[in-house]
Amino acid sequence: MASKMITKMTPVQCARAPRFVQGSDWIVSDMALGADGSVALSGGHKETWRTFIDLLYIDPDSTNKCKMIFRKEFNKSGDRCFRYVSYISSGQIVTCCNDKIELINYNQQSSIPSRTFSGEALSMAVSEEGDQQIFVGLYDSNKVIVFSPGLTELKTITLTGLQDGDWVRELLVMGAEHTLCVRTPGYKPLVFNINGVVQTEPLTAMNKTQAGSIAVSSELVMVLWYPGGTLITAHHIPSIIEGGRHSSLADQDGGRHSSLADGDGRHIVVCFQIDQSHWIRIKNNRLVSVQGVCCGKYTQ
């Protein structure tokens, strides 16, 4: 990894989301990027347990202003105040909280009645290529439920290779084959195929093993590393998987074939530093991070 240059990136724009005034008790539990350049934030209130969705547009004519496109608050439901959000089409988002999933047409300010499922949501993603299926990771479980764009429950994927106490804290879907990129509560970034079979050992970089957030861009998984929340590395997943298939060396702890570059940089395409952040997403070569209560936008 010593041969990799670490580039310092400064945000081209940084804006405070209107909800997050000084001393706010609102917390962000998920974020997503729209094709129109908008940013969706969702989360909850630490005291009332009400949840929210905010759709923002970082004004290109201003370095510090967010324009509110849509906002909605939800009454307390269940035992947790986390809400998750993804874009599903132009003018439409999907959201889930606890055991409910719902489509919202934010241009028309309307919604389709929610549906319930078995389990409690802890993450959500929509496949951007193909049929735009919706994937929901469950709390305290190795299960991922797959829904159609109309919220019909299609199947459940069981992720093999997770250790006890690990589940899907953050979930993204890569490519037409619906490769699942996962971050666990133990801060481990892992990659699974659509059948739930683990494809990599936990990604690492520069002796860092704790992923604070993940993002996907084409064939790359980008990882924001803890502690610090400033270092991002981009890993070329097909190279890692292919390297694992051709490995002939077995681990001493059970004969597994390693499919990871073990942090030495063989499959790390680029690494750079940003301002301290908690969440990252990338779309159309624009990296957006949530820095506490602010949104920073970078060019890739």
Side-chain angles (χ1 to χ4, degrees):
M1 189 65 200
S3 61
K4 295 288 180 182
M5 292 287 292
I6 302 178
T7 304
K8 172 66 178 176
M9 296 183 69
T10 356
V12 294
Q13 291 172 284
C14 186
R16 180 175 293 270
R19 178 180 299 275
F20 298 97
V21 297
Q22 187 174 4
S24 171
D25 287 326
W26 294 100
I27 56 174
V28 174
S29 56
D30 198 14
M31 71 176 293
L33 302 184
D36 59 356
S38 60
V39 180
L41 300 178
S42 65
H45 194 276
K46 290 187 288 187
E47 293 185 358
T48 66
W49 286 19
R50 287 172 60 84
T51 60
F52 74 90
I53 296 173
D54 286 347
L55 267 60
L56 312 168
Y57 186 71
I58 302 177
D59 191 342
D61 298 323
S62 172
T63 57
N64 60 359
K65 288 185 180 178
C66 277
K67 187 183 297 183
M68 183 70 70
I69 300 173
F70 171 85
R71 66 185 305 173
K72 183 172 183 178
E73 291 185 14
F74 304 79
N75 292 328
K76 175 185 173 182
S77 172
D79 297 329
R80 299 168 72 82
C81 64
F82 301 126
R83 178 168 292 276
Y84 308 95
V85 65
S86 291
Y87 289 86
I88 194 165
S89 64
S90 178
Q92 190 175 65
I93 55 175
V94 59
T95 181
C96 60
C97 180
N98 294 302
D99 62 347
K100 293 182 176 62
I101 186 168
E102 177 181 359
L103 291 175
I104 297 175
N105 297 306
Y106 58 86
N107 284 340
Q108 286 78 36
Q109 303 282 312
S110 63
S111 61
I112 297 173
S114 62
R115 299 196 178 181
T116 59
F117 52 87
S118 178
E120 183 180 341
L122 189 66
S123 56
M124 185 177 64
V126 172
S127 58
E128 296 188 359
E129 296 185 34
D131 46 11
Q132 289 190 306
Q133 292 180 346
I134 303 162
F135 296 74
V136 176
L138 300 181
Y139 172 73
D140 199 17
S141 171
N142 63 347
K143 309 291 186 185
V144 174
I145 302 176
V146 184
F147 297 87
S148 73
L151 302 187
T152 299
E153 191 169 325
L154 301 176
K155 62 181 178 180
T156 298
I157 302 170
T158 301
L159 302 182
T160 61
L162 290 180
Q163 297 179 357
D164 292 341
D166 271 346
W167 47 89
V168 184
R169 174 62 189 88
E170 192 173 6
L171 172 65
L172 296 168
V173 183
M174 174 189 291
E177 295 183 354
H178 294 171
T179 299
L180 305 181
C181 305
V182 165
R183 177 175 64 88
T184 73
Y187 302 102
K188 292 184 295 188
L190 293 161
V191 177
F192 297 81
N193 65 19
I194 189 58
N195 298 315
V197 179
V198 65
Q199 301 293 289
T200 66
E201 295 287 329
L203 304 179
T204 61
M206 298 182 67
N207 298 319
K208 291 183 179 290
T209 60
Q210 295 187 335
S213 184
I214 56 175
V216 296
S217 174
S218 185
E219 296 180 331
L220 300 179
V221 170
M222 308 185 77
V223 183
L224 173 70
W225 294 101
Y226 283 174
T230 60
L231 177 69
I232 294 179
T233 54
H235 303 251
H236 188 247
I237 296 306
S239 298
I240 295 175
I241 295 173
E242 193 63 23
R245 288 182 183 138
H246 288 86
S247 174
S248 59
L249 297 177
D251 292 343
Q252 295 179 353
D253 63 349
R256 294 174 301 163
H257 286 190
S258 175
S259 56
L260 175 64
D262 292 327
D264 65 1
R266 281 181 290 164
H267 303 304
I268 294 177
V269 178
V270 67
C271 50
F272 51 92
Q273 283 187 320
I274 63 172
D275 295 339
Q276 187 175 34
S277 301
H278 301 287
W279 294 91
I280 57 171
R281 293 291 184 266
I282 188 167
K283 196 177 187 72
N284 299 331
N285 292 326
R286 290 185 303 173
L287 174 71
V288 176
S289 70
V290 172
Q291 307 158 359
V293 296
C294 296
C295 292
K297 186 167 70 175
Y298 300 76
T299 55
Q300 187 183 27

